[in-house]
Amino acid sequence: MSTATLTKDTFGIEQVLKQLGIGAQNYGASTGLKHTLAKGPKLDSFSPVNGQLIGSVNTATAEDYQQTMKTAEAAFKIWRTVPAPKRGEIVRQMGDQLRKYKEPLGKLVSYEMGKSLQEGLGEVQEMIDICDFAVGLSRQLYGLTMHSERPQHRMYEQWHALGVVGIISAFNFPVAVWSWNAALAWVCGDVCVWKPSSKTPLCAIACQNIIADVLKKNEVPEGVSCLLIGNPVGDLMNADKRVPLISFTGSTRIGRIVSGTVAQRFGRSILELGGNNAIIVSEHADLSMVLVGSVFGAVGTAGQRCTSTRRLIIHESIYDKTLAVLKNAYGQLKIGNPLDSNNHVGPLIDKKAVDDYLTAIEKAKEEGGKMVVDGGVVTGEGYESCCYVKPCIIEAKNEYHIVQEETFAPILYVMKYKTIDEAIAMQNGVPQGLSSSIFTNNMREMENFLSVAGSDCGIANVNIGTSGAEIGGAFGGEKETGGGRESGSDAWKAYMRRQTNTINYGTSLPLAQGINFNI
């Protein structure tokens, strides 16, 4: 494993910030066109790439929140009456704006979060794709027509806008997850209040800046797209009865608190929480495909995806061969500035993430784990942020306490299996249930893995890795992953309220179930 020296060149970041309208001091509250230098404490954003200050934001206070909510509520009363196809047309224009700013926004995502430039650009492409999806959806918010048991009656259902949607997003996908929610919510007639991660606030401000011209051009009501920065905002939204839906992406620990708070006021929540994803490597697998899927899954975004590959469950007959292939691939990984396309692995988000990584390695060793590829912190010139670590591989058992947990870092646990039933049981034998995969050319193994007795995850793949998802399918997982679904398929229904309607077009009023009530 080699480490590439970081250069002093910031790859045009100053120009990127200028293009995206970001300065040394930025607003911490926005209702679309109006930006407010909020009254809360200052929040500094440092890049994990080189430890340098990018910019500062004044965070929102409770007063800022209340003012924003009033604006959002007023905007909803107008926005919900705009025809859905017209709302879709506005979202289409937002997609076009994102196309125009794809390169600078992708670079900012890479620089502020630490993922590779290709992944940063890919994240913006996800935003573009969900806008395209939402445009078509705006003409397909279908209900059902049902036959009534009563003569001259018609029954049907329709879907109405829900209200103010609160979006609380995480640092690892600082812009895409917001767009998954916002684009769908907007075409459904909702308005959005976004609380981004305090680790990546400038990416959020950039998004608001990018769509501002579209909002202004289409005379969209102030408050359809709101932004509030600062951790206290999340608590305020979770407890606010004016916010019927909270979409939360983050840890399982915080997700429990969010879901409990929202449920107490009978609100809805979309929870996208932890993942502990496994790839089963069958004796019938194509190892060249396994190599790509498992290595990218484990080290992409420095292991900071909820869909990152945490466990590799390998058939005993090819275990040694697979490890040899992996060790060779890990030896060729280049660690360094994610804006340099020659590097494979960028930094972790901050020093706490580094501490969690080191702690997990020590815990695995204490439980009996054996290092296959050693880890450690990368030091030296160009790594001054102290956030770069070496992707490692640990031979472990599925029942280890640390293996049962999600560590947001490039740690891959490897283990053996004998039968496909044993492998599936190991795959399912963790509290989380987000993404799963099997590599095999055996059709029976594929079908068993995808059957009702197979993977218990929300995502189950064959001959592709656990990491990465297309916006056309609903994204989310089961068990401690939270059960939420975002993005494609019929995930839009979470952002609307269902209404069943019955029309009597006759001259009498028969009661359901044949009940007689004579007066």
Side-chain angles (χ1 to χ4, degrees):
M1 194 181 306
S2 62
T3 54
T5 302
L6 296 180
T7 67
K8 298 300 181 181
D9 178 21
T10 59
F11 290 80
I13 291 299
E14 289 185 9
Q15 179 63 24
V16 163
L17 296 176
K18 184 177 180 181
Q19 285 178 274
L20 297 172
I22 294 173
Q25 185 70 45
N26 301 277
Y27 59 83
S30 169
T31 53
L33 297 177
K34 295 179 181 178
H35 307 322
T36 304
L37 190 63
K39 307 173 186 67
K42 187 176 74 169
L43 173 67
D44 293 330
S45 178
F46 293 91
S47 171
V49 174
N50 52 17
Q52 293 181 4
L53 177 68
I54 310 173
S56 302
V57 182
N58 271 41
T59 56
T61 63
E63 181 184 347
D64 295 320
Y65 174 81
Q66 296 299 337
Q67 191 62 46
T68 299
M69 280 301 304
K70 287 180 182 178
T71 306
E73 281 192 298
F76 172 62
K77 293 178 180 178
I78 301 171
W79 184 244
R80 66 184 177 184
T81 66
V82 176
K86 174 61 176 175
R87 298 192 297 253
E89 164 58 18
I90 294 169
V91 172
R92 184 195 66 77
Q93 294 174 32
M94 293 180 181
D96 284 347
Q97 282 291 93
L98 289 167
R99 286 180 172 88
K100 185 187 302 183
Y101 288 94
K102 178 178 177 178
E103 184 175 348
L105 182 57
K107 279 190 175 181
L108 178 60
V109 168
S110 178
Y111 189 65
E112 188 175 31
M113 185 270 148
K115 64 175 58 177
S116 74
L117 177 58
Q118 286 301 309
E119 291 182 80
L121 295 171
E123 185 168 345
V124 181
Q125 186 61 49
E126 283 191 56
M127 302 175 75
I128 295 166
D129 292 344
I130 198 65
C131 286
D132 289 349
F133 180 90
V135 175
L137 176 63
S138 69
R139 294 180 183 270
Q140 299 179 76
L141 302 174
Y142 300 137
L144 298 173
T145 298
M146 296 151 284
H147 290 281
S148 173
E149 65 185 51
R150 291 167 285 184
Q152 295 184 303
H153 281 62
R154 182 165 70 89
M155 292 180 64
Y156 67 98
E157 68 179 23
Q158 58 181 332
W159 295 83
H160 292 303
L162 192 59
V164 179
V165 172
I167 303 169
I168 303 175
S169 61
F171 75 87
N172 59 330
F173 279 84
V175 295
V177 171
W178 165 70
S179 70
W180 289 359
N181 287 273
L184 268 60
W186 285 329
V187 298
C188 288
D190 303 321
V191 301
C192 299
V193 179
W194 181 18
K195 204 291 289 184
S197 169
S198 293
K199 297 179 181 182
T200 51
L202 301 182
C203 287
I205 291 173
C207 289
Q208 197 80 334
N209 288 347
I210 287 171
I211 67 171
D213 286 345
V214 175
L215 299 174
K216 182 178 181 180
K217 174 183 174 182
N218 290 276
E219 300 181 346
V220 173
E222 193 75 37
V224 167
S225 179
C226 300
L227 174 67
L228 291 167
I229 294 173
N231 288 334
V233 172
D235 293 335
L236 292 170
M237 281 204 297
N238 294 334
D240 195 337
K241 291 183 178 180
R242 296 171 295 182
V243 185
L245 174 65
I246 294 289
S247 178
F248 172 80
T249 302
S251 70
T252 297
R253 181 181 67 85
I254 301 299
R256 283 194 176 95
I257 298 171
V258 171
S259 62
T261 302
V262 175
Q264 283 184 347
R265 59 178 178 82
F266 297 104
R268 301 185 197 175
S269 57
I270 298 173
L271 301 176
E272 297 289 353
L273 311 178
N276 195 346
N277 316 295
I279 293 176
I280 297 173
V281 182
S282 164
E283 60 188 311
H284 306 291
D286 181 333
L287 284 187
S288 64
M289 295 174 68
V290 171
L291 179 66
V292 176
S294 58
V295 174
F296 176 74
V299 310
T301 325
Q304 297 174 111
R305 292 186 178 210
C306 53
T307 55
S308 291
T309 305
R310 311 288 177 200
R311 298 173 294 141
L312 209 58
I313 304 169
I314 309 168
H315 191 271
E316 60 183 6
S317 67
I318 58 167
Y319 184 78
D320 292 339
K321 181 179 181 181
T322 303
L323 287 194
V325 170
L326 286 172
K327 287 173 70 174
N328 180 62
Y330 270 57
Q332 299 177 53
L333 292 175
K334 294 181 180 179
I335 306 169
N337 188 332
L339 287 162
D340 184 342
S341 60
N342 293 313
N343 295 324
H344 301 99
V345 184
L348 294 178
I349 186 65
D350 55 26
K351 293 179 182 179
K352 180 184 181 305
V354 174
D355 291 340
D356 291 343
Y357 157 85
L358 295 172
T359 298
I361 293 174
E362 289 308 309
K363 286 183 177 179
K365 290 179 180 178
E366 291 170 6
E367 293 191 72
K370 298 177 182 179
M371 301 301 299
V372 176
V373 174
D374 288 331
V377 180
V378 181
T379 58
E381 184 181 355
Y383 300 94
E384 289 83 3
S385 70
C386 301
C387 293
Y388 292 85
V389 301
K390 298 176 182 179
C392 66
I393 301 176
I394 304 175
E395 189 173 51
K397 293 183 179 179
N398 205 55
E399 59 267 25
Y400 287 176
H401 291 297
I402 190 61
V403 176
Q404 293 284 309
E405 299 174 4
E406 178 189 43
T407 302
F408 240 45
I411 301 174
L412 179 64
Y413 300 108
V414 293
M415 55 202 76
K416 299 177 184 178
Y417 79 91
K418 292 184 178 181
T419 68
I420 188 62
D421 289 341
E422 178 189 5
I424 292 173
M426 292 169 69
Q427 139 66 39
N428 294 342
V430 293
Q432 308 85 358
L434 178 53
S435 186
S436 58
S437 173
I438 186 171
F439 278 82
T440 181
N441 291 323
N442 183 303
M443 187 178 70
R444 287 179 176 173
E445 288 184 336
M446 294 181 193
E447 294 298 337
N448 281 326
F449 180 73
L450 299 175
S451 74
V452 68
S455 170
D456 63 1
C457 294
I459 299 170
N461 298 327
V462 176
N463 292 330
I464 62 171
T466 63
S467 185
E470 297 182 30
I471 59 91
F475 179 89
E478 303 301 324
K479 302 188 293 186
E480 289 190 3
T481 302
R485 293 295 186 274
E486 295 172 327
S487 195
S489 186
D490 66 348
W492 61 270
K493 292 180 179 178
Y495 305 90
M496 304 193 82
R497 59 182 177 89
R498 185 196 309 252
Q499 184 181 80
T500 301
N501 307 113
T502 306
I503 299 173
N504 178 0
Y505 57 90
T507 58
S508 62
L509 204 163
L511 301 179
Q513 295 85 47
I515 295 175
N516 291 317
F517 185 73
N518 298 319
I519 54 174

